[in-house]
Amino acid sequence: RARGGARRRRGRGVDDDEGDADDHHGAAEEDPREAARRAQQLAQAQEAELKHQKRAGKDAKYAAKEAEREEKERAAREAAESARVEKEKAEAAEFDKWKDMFTVTNEGTVEEEMAEESGGLLAEFVDYIAEKKVVVLEELAAEFGLRTQDAVSRVQALEQMGRITGVMDDRGKFIFISRDEMAEVAAFINRKGRVAIAELARKSSDFVKL
């Protein structure tokens, strides 16, 4: 009986050992699933990092383009400002040329008169003469609100500055002559020799296209 009891106890011990082995075997079966889960988490983290890097790269490209655009706009503004300054300098130089050619009148200073002519009035004065070709100086003065003598002085000053070319006759007219027409005038004078202004004015219709 004692031996039989021992066999039964040993049998139970064997059964317990087999149960423990089954438990360890079950735990070993769970390891691959845990490894797969960790691998999936790692892949997701890597994918998120890759997306972040791509987004950061796009942001950097956008920032670079914005900086380039702002630099171009700044350069354009500086160029426009430089052009404006140069234009003002040229206008001031033109003003000084005119100012030096006229004296102070009783009705106001040259500076006041020339200030009124800034802003394109001088160009209008020249264009008016060029378009009319034959200008009655009294009418020219009335057109621009000047005294006749002031209009004459301005026409003479423009001739000295090379802005216009032409002939002023003794009847109060100025005949505008282009560069090409002036060449024809020169040829006429060369043929005739000494020519009076009055005669030149009378002959103007032969070589000046009115």
Side-chain angles (χ1 to χ4, degrees):
R1 291 176 182 170
R3 286 194 296 271
R7 285 196 297 272
R8 286 193 295 273
R9 286 194 297 273
R10 286 196 296 272
R12 287 196 299 273
V14 171
D15 292 340
D16 291 341
D17 292 339
E18 290 177 352
D20 293 340
D22 291 340
D23 292 340
H24 287 302
H25 182 67
E29 289 179 349
E30 293 177 358
D31 288 342
R33 291 194 296 272
E34 178 65 20
R37 185 181 65 81
R38 287 196 299 271
Q40 183 179 9
Q41 290 178 344
L42 179 60
Q44 291 175 346
Q46 290 175 342
E47 183 179 0
E49 177 63 21
L50 182 60
K51 289 181 179 179
H52 174 73
Q53 291 177 355
K54 288 183 178 179
R55 186 167 57 251
K58 289 182 179 179
D59 291 343
K61 288 181 180 179
Y62 177 78
K65 287 183 178 180
E66 282 295 298
E68 183 180 0
R69 181 183 61 81
E70 292 177 358
E71 177 62 21
K72 288 181 178 179
E73 290 179 352
R74 183 191 63 79
R77 288 194 299 270
E78 290 181 354
E81 177 64 17
S82 178
R84 184 187 64 80
V85 171
E86 290 300 320
K87 182 179 178 181
E88 290 181 353
K89 287 181 179 179
E91 290 177 350
E94 186 81 359
F95 173 85
D96 290 338
K97 288 180 181 179
W98 276 73
K99 182 177 65 175
D100 293 340
M101 293 179 183
F102 300 124
T103 58
V104 176
T105 67
N106 295 330
E107 297 178 4
T109 64
V110 170
E111 287 79 1
E112 291 172 348
E113 293 178 5
M114 295 307 299
E116 293 176 357
E117 292 188 357
S118 63
L121 188 55
L122 176 58
E124 291 180 17
F125 192 87
V126 173
D127 291 342
Y128 181 88
I129 295 173
E131 290 174 3
K132 290 290 187 179
K133 292 291 284 185
V134 178
V135 180
V136 178
L137 295 173
E138 289 183 358
E139 294 178 359
L140 177 65
E143 178 71 20
F144 290 89
L146 301 171
R147 294 180 303 178
T148 302
Q149 184 55 47
D150 291 336
V152 172
S153 298
R154 279 160 172 73
V155 169
Q156 291 173 341
L158 286 169
E159 285 189 282
Q160 294 177 23
M161 293 164 59
R163 294 292 296 271
I164 60 173
T165 52
V167 177
M168 190 178 300
D169 67 12
D170 55 359
R171 293 174 296 178
K173 291 182 181 180
F174 179 79
I175 302 169
F176 175 79
I177 305 175
S178 67
R179 298 290 182 183
D180 292 339
E181 293 168 343
M182 186 60 73
E184 295 182 28
V185 173
F188 172 77
I189 294 174
N190 289 333
R191 288 195 304 270
K192 296 287 291 185
R194 185 177 179 85
V195 180
I197 293 295
E199 181 184 1
L200 187 59
R202 287 193 298 272
K203 291 290 186 179
S204 61
S205 58
D206 294 338
F207 47 78
V208 177
K209 302 175 181 60
L210 302 177

